[in-house]
Amino acid sequence: MTKKSNEFSRSIVNEQLSTVRNLFVEYGIDLSLISAGRTLYESLRLAKHRTKKRKDYIEKGIKFLFNSEDRLALLEVISGDKVFWEAWINQNNIYDKTGFDNDRPSVHRLNPDGNYEFGNIGVLPLGKHRQEHAVSTAVVILENGSLSAQIFGSKTTTATAIGVGIGKVNNMAKRGYKVVDEATVADTGQVAITMPVKVLEPTNSEDEYKAQCKAHGITYETPEVRAEREKKQVKRVEQQYKEMCETDGIEYLPPEVRRKKADSKSSSEL
């Protein structure tokens, strides 16, 4: 975990503390709460930034409905929601004691599709907040026309597991990534893509699968629909592999040809 001394550069922290101190003096707010005011000031600022810059927020129409001026947004929240402010102070006290970034309070939208506004904000430690928004990610490998997959709890753990950056993980959702042998840097013939995990697969029976879907609020898909979806995924990755071969000037071999070559190689190694 990252110590809070690494959260921001010292100059930015000092600037924010000065802003909050002046605001508290002006409006008669307890100066012993400046630390909590500073973290709330920053969290609200970041929330407003997300509504203006994050594509998913913009597409959902999520708005920041507090004052557009950062210092006045802080004052509005402190004055307008005493329960929220008390919860923020309590969590900030924990953060001050531990110094761990995961303990830092963060503004949490109770309805994830709703706006930043009174009635839809709560307080969560940053670590728990990150867990709530983590997207389980599957790394799907295409080899010889068949699929294999491994599921990770988040994009961060996915990146760590396969030895690439977050940017590469995001790009792999759009374009296949040719897997190479780390020792020889040779093409392994495998193509990897990433995708969010949205559907539970059955563990024992179709009835249990239906129950899992219902319990987790997931739309049930019949075996036929799931099979068709997998075929589309295979076709999509195969097309990406073909395009990469053309881009890199490599002869493209259809799945059945690659499968025969792999079988032949396996037989010769016996």
Side-chain angles (χ1 to χ4, degrees):
M1 290 182 284
T2 304
K3 285 288 188 177
K4 67 175 182 179
S5 59
N6 296 324
E7 182 188 353
F8 303 105
S9 69
R10 181 54 55 190
S11 61
I12 293 177
V13 171
N14 287 339
E15 181 181 338
Q16 292 179 345
L17 285 171
S18 177
T19 298
V20 173
R21 180 186 296 276
N22 291 338
L23 181 75
F24 279 21
V25 169
E26 182 178 354
Y27 289 92
I29 301 172
D30 188 349
L31 294 181
S32 69
L33 302 178
I34 286 178
S35 174
R38 203 283 299 176
T39 54
L40 180 54
Y41 174 93
E42 175 62 12
S43 192
L44 291 170
R45 186 188 69 81
L46 292 174
K48 182 180 70 174
H49 178 79
R50 286 192 290 272
T51 62
K52 294 179 179 295
K53 300 295 182 181
R54 284 260 302 259
K55 183 180 178 181
D56 54 335
Y57 279 58
I58 295 172
E59 288 178 347
K60 288 181 178 181
I62 297 173
K63 307 293 184 183
F64 183 83
L65 298 182
F66 299 115
N67 199 292
S68 60
E69 186 178 342
D70 295 338
R71 63 191 294 273
L72 295 183
L74 172 63
L75 179 64
E76 183 179 357
V77 172
I78 290 176
S79 303
D81 193 335
K82 300 297 184 182
V83 174
F84 173 89
W85 176 228
E86 187 65 31
W88 189 276
I89 293 170
N90 292 337
Q91 185 59 44
N92 197 79
N93 287 338
I94 296 173
Y95 174 49
D96 280 339
K97 290 177 181 177
T98 68
F100 290 128
D101 198 44
N102 278 347
D103 289 330
R104 177 161 56 88
S106 65
V107 177
H108 166 60
R109 281 173 297 119
L110 305 178
N111 172 8
D113 294 324
N115 299 316
Y116 288 99
E117 60 183 329
F118 289 127
N120 196 44
I121 57 171
V123 181
L124 274 184
L126 185 59
K128 187 174 182 180
H129 202 168
R130 285 169 173 164
Q131 289 177 357
E132 285 206 356
H133 289 277
V135 177
S136 292
T137 302
V139 177
V140 181
I141 303 292
L142 172 68
E143 184 175 20
N144 300 323
S146 61
L147 287 176
S148 63
Q150 185 171 358
I151 297 175
F152 299 94
S154 67
K155 290 183 179 180
T156 301
T157 54
T158 302
T160 301
I162 62 180
V164 299
I166 292 291
K168 174 65 73 175
V169 172
N170 291 332
N171 290 337
M172 286 165 64
K174 304 172 185 176
R175 187 172 187 270
Y177 171 68
K178 289 192 295 184
V179 181
V180 299
D181 185 285
E182 292 184 1
T184 63
V185 199
D187 189 346
T188 63
Q190 297 177 329
V191 178
I193 65 170
T194 59
M195 59 183 65
V197 178
K198 296 182 179 179
V199 180
L200 294 173
E201 293 301 328
T203 54
N204 296 322
S205 69
E206 198 64 25
D207 287 340
E208 183 174 344
Y209 177 50
K210 288 181 181 178
Q212 289 180 9
C213 288
K214 184 177 180 180
H216 291 81
I218 297 173
T219 302
Y220 168 73
E221 293 180 327
T222 64
E224 294 76 15
V225 171
R226 297 199 300 271
E228 185 62 30
R229 175 164 48 82
E230 182 171 326
K231 287 181 182 178
K232 291 180 180 179
Q233 291 172 347
V234 171
K235 185 176 180 180
R236 170 191 168 197
V237 180
E238 186 65 32
Q239 180 61 33
Q240 291 178 336
Y241 178 61
K242 184 176 182 180
E243 291 172 358
M244 283 190 292
C245 287
E246 293 174 352
T247 300
D248 297 341
I250 300 173
E251 180 185 6
Y252 168 74
L253 299 176
E256 59 272 15
V257 176
R258 299 202 304 272
R259 191 177 301 111
K260 287 180 180 179
K261 288 184 66 176
D263 293 341
S264 176
K265 181 179 179 181
S266 297
S267 298
S268 64
E269 291 176 349
L270 294 177

